[in-house]
């Protein structure tokens, strides 16, 4: 499975979505408008950001709140990074308001995306305050934590947040 993303004005992206009504697409609005296309085929976008789905749970829906954890990973660090996510405990799925997760391997750059979809922003904040979050991130900042292996991460990670604003 692949995920393609493109940005533009909300109206322009809505037109693309309308032209490809049979495709699984989600239109989001944050600091910018973003259109996501999940498919086993090729992208309908002219010059998308391209990703391969490494791990997934849940179904992407055209409603809710989306959080992208954008994590630059060195070439040497990719196997360990992917191993950790493929073998995650799956605790996020237990949290009320969770809808879906996609772990995305970049095909054109070094920045992985951990995308989570929530019923609403309050559900995401509930995850961050949950026992499941605490357990899932228990090794962070310790010698066992992947974040302590500095040769894996060439730059700081960053978060992007969106509200789903279109129907698919």
């Amino acid at each position: 499975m692949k995920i393609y993303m493109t940005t533009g004005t909300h109206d322009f992206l809505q037109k693309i979505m309308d032209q490809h009504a049979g495709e699984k697409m989600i239109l989001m609005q944050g600091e910018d408008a973003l259109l996501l296309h999940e498919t086993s085929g090729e992208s309908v976008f002219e010059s998308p950001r391209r990703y391969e789905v490494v791990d997934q749970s849940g179904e992407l829906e055209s409603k809710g709140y989306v959080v992208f954890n954008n994590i630059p990973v060195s070439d040497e660090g990719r196997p360990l990074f992917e191993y950790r996510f493929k073998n995650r405990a799956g605790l996020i799925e237990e949290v009320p308001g969770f809808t879906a997760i996609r772990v995305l391997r970049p095909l054109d750059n070094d920045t992985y995306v951990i995308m989570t979809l929530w019923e609403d922003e309050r559900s995401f904040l509930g995850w961050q305050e949950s026992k499941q979050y605490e357990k899932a991130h228990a090794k962070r900042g310790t010698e066992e934590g992947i974040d302590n292996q500095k040769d894996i991460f060439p730059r700081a990670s960053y978060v992007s947040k969106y509200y789903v604003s279109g129907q698919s």
Side-chain angles (χ1 to χ4, degrees):
M1 186 66 66
K2 297 229 172 50
I3 287 189
Y4 302 101
M5 297 182 214
T6 193
T7 54
T9 66
H10 188 277
D11 291 343
F12 177 73
L13 297 178
Q14 182 67 55
K15 286 177 186 170
I16 293 174
M17 224 169 96
D18 293 345
Q19 290 168 354
H20 301 281
E23 297 288 332
K24 182 167 194 120
M25 293 188 181
I26 299 175
L27 182 56
M28 306 173 206
Q29 186 66 50
E31 287 185 18
D32 56 3
L34 182 137
L35 186 56
L36 181 141
H37 179 208
E38 183 177 52
T39 181
S40 55
E42 292 302 313
S43 176
V44 299
F45 305 148
E46 283 187 34
S47 55
R49 294 194 310 258
R50 303 176 322 126
Y51 300 90
E52 186 172 1
V53 177
V54 174
D55 187 36
Q56 67 180 26
S57 177
E59 289 298 317
L60 297 183
E61 298 179 7
S62 291
K63 61 182 181 179
Y65 184 70
V66 184
V67 178
F68 291 92
N69 284 302
N70 303 276
I71 307 170
V73 178
S74 67
D75 286 343
E76 301 80 31
R78 283 177 173 233
L80 177 59
F81 184 82
E82 289 185 20
Y83 175 83
R84 290 281 177 104
F85 272 98
K86 287 177 184 175
N87 293 285
R88 63 188 179 80
L91 299 172
I92 196 171
E93 287 90 338
E94 300 173 1
V95 177
F98 168 83
T99 303
I101 184 171
R102 297 292 185 273
V103 178
L104 306 177
R105 175 191 300 132
L107 298 177
D108 302 314
N109 60 51
D110 68 350
T111 304
Y112 281 75
V113 176
I114 313 306
M115 180 182 89
T116 54
L117 177 62
W118 302 90
E119 287 178 10
D120 51 31
E121 185 176 6
R122 188 173 69 236
S123 298
F124 170 70
L125 295 173
W127 153 246
Q128 289 186 309
E129 296 170 1
S130 71
K131 294 282 186 211
Q132 292 94 332
Y133 181 91
E134 189 176 306
K135 188 173 180 182
H137 296 90
K139 294 180 182 178
R140 183 183 282 172
T142 70
E143 281 189 28
E144 294 178 56
I146 193 171
D147 62 320
N148 197 38
Q149 301 183 32
K150 302 302 180 204
D151 55 334
I152 291 178
F153 305 106
R155 296 179 309 287
S157 61
Y158 61 96
V159 175
S160 308
K161 300 173 183 177
Y162 295 88
Y163 292 93
V164 177
S165 58
Q167 302 300 314
S168 65

